[in-house]
Amino acid sequence: MKTVAVIVHWGPHQPTVELAERLDASPSIAQVTVVANDGSTRPTELATSVAWILPPRNLGFGGAFALASQDYPAGGAYLLVNNDIRIDEVTIRACLDLLAGTNIGVVAPTLINSDGLQSGSARLSPVLVAPRARRPPDDRPCEADWVTGAVMFIKAECLRRVPFDGRYFLGFEDVDFCYRVRDAGWSVVLSPLRAWHTGSTTIPRRGNAYYIVRNRLWFTRIRGWRLRTVLIAATTAAVVLPRSVVLDLLRGRGLETSALVRHGLLDGLGPLPPPGDPRADEPRAVRWTAWR
């Protein structure tokens, strides 16, 4: 399959350039493209064979990937990858071989970081819908409810039928995507071969408290899980928010995190935007924290 690799970029150029050049040298990758969500200009040291796309605005993770995949519609498969991921040729080839199987829509390697397993055969906790990584078999692929968007191979036919939902902007779009892929009859598969998360991510993290709360509530509401939505909202209001206030005060950082949690709860229970592109006012977290 003609495979197009898409790197969603934010921040320093060096990690993106290094990953783009490694993927560009891979015989399994036909095209490497970078979507610069931070609006930065193309680095001069980047190979000319690598495309550098400047979106009209920050489209978030899923929106940036959707833009790049639309620019390369002839791809047979797509690799969505963070710029702080290290993946070797053996793992790329094994994942693409799996993806060629009938009714397999998404494949991911087992993701390892400095603490060990980061993302394996992923599940959501049954009550509060929290992501959980289960250790996969060491010697064979296995099916998963979802796999992380940090490194994900997607069959083009599957992506045409089940596009990414960009309204999440940052977080839970990979969970939502994999659940809809499975609803459409495709399998989501985890390979025992590994990729590595270096921990030097350049995706903004300061707004995570907002997006974790808001997007989890959006996800359960979109899925029609009313009881889980109520339980998540109640736990956030009664446990997570007070704890955030206490931690903010103890650490002497004002009430930044607790403000993010509170607004995530309010927006998570507010009107749902339509599926597709992110809201025009994204990233909303900049209202309550420095976006860096």
Side-chain angles (χ1 to χ4, degrees):
M1 289 183 287
K2 178 181 179 182
T3 303
V4 177
V6 178
I7 305 168
V8 179
H9 169 78
W10 179 280
H13 283 162
Q14 183 179 355
T16 297
V17 170
E18 291 176 353
L19 175 59
E21 290 182 345
R22 284 195 300 273
L23 293 176
D24 193 41
S26 166
S28 302
I29 305 296
Q31 175 64 50
V32 179
T33 183
V34 177
V35 183
N37 260 346
D38 61 357
S40 61
T41 58
R42 180 189 182 93
T44 56
E45 66 271 27
L46 187 65
T48 57
S49 54
V50 176
W52 186 270
I53 299 175
L54 286 176
R57 60 188 176 96
N58 188 343
L59 295 176
F61 195 66
F65 173 63
L67 177 67
S69 60
Q70 290 163 10
D71 274 11
Y72 293 93
Y78 297 90
L79 165 59
L80 172 59
V81 60
N82 282 1
N83 63 358
D84 55 359
I85 297 296
R86 299 293 177 264
I87 182 169
D88 60 29
E89 182 63 25
V90 172
T91 299
I92 292 173
R93 187 68 262 163
C95 288
L96 288 173
D97 287 345
L98 279 173
L99 194 65
T102 304
N103 287 335
I104 295 179
V106 176
V107 174
T110 300
L111 188 60
I112 304 297
N113 62 20
S114 58
D115 296 324
L117 178 68
Q118 176 175 328
S119 181
S121 180
R123 298 288 187 270
L124 295 174
S125 61
V127 177
L128 297 181
V129 196
R132 295 287 184 267
R134 296 183 178 180
R135 184 165 295 281
D138 291 330
D139 58 347
R140 64 187 186 276
C142 64
E143 291 201 28
D145 287 351
W146 63 280
V147 291
T148 177
V151 52
M152 175 190 291
F153 294 83
I154 307 168
K155 189 174 291 179
E157 182 184 354
C158 174
L159 186 62
R160 284 191 289 268
R161 289 178 53 190
V162 187
F164 260 74
D165 190 345
R167 64 181 150 175
Y168 286 95
F169 189 74
L170 184 61
F172 257 85
E173 60 273 275
D174 49 1
V175 182
D176 171 83
F177 174 68
C178 288
Y179 267 72
R180 288 186 293 111
V181 164
R182 292 168 60 243
D183 288 344
W186 301 85
S187 293
V188 176
V189 175
L190 183 79
S191 168
L193 275 76
R194 297 180 173 187
W196 293 266
H197 184 203
T198 65
S200 59
T201 181
T202 55
I203 294 176
R205 293 301 184 193
R206 295 296 295 275
N208 263 5
Y210 169 80
Y211 289 108
I212 288 171
V213 173
R214 187 196 74 177
N215 291 355
R216 184 179 299 175
L217 286 167
W218 279 5
F219 174 73
T220 56
R221 291 173 63 194
I222 291 167
R223 299 294 300 178
W225 295 344
R226 295 183 179 181
L227 178 58
R228 295 184 189 185
T229 299
V230 171
L231 291 172
I232 292 168
T235 302
T236 302
V239 179
V240 179
L241 182 55
R243 184 175 61 193
S244 298
V245 171
V246 171
L247 290 175
D248 277 344
L249 294 175
L250 289 175
R251 294 169 182 173
R253 60 188 182 192
L255 296 175
E256 180 180 278
T257 302
S258 51
L260 289 167
V261 171
R262 179 168 63 88
H263 286 287
L265 178 61
L266 294 173
D267 284 354
L269 296 175
L272 278 171
D277 289 340
R279 295 162 51 146
D281 60 352
E282 289 285 13
R284 281 181 62 77
V286 299
R287 300 182 178 199
W288 310 291
T289 187
W291 189 248
R292 60 184 185 273

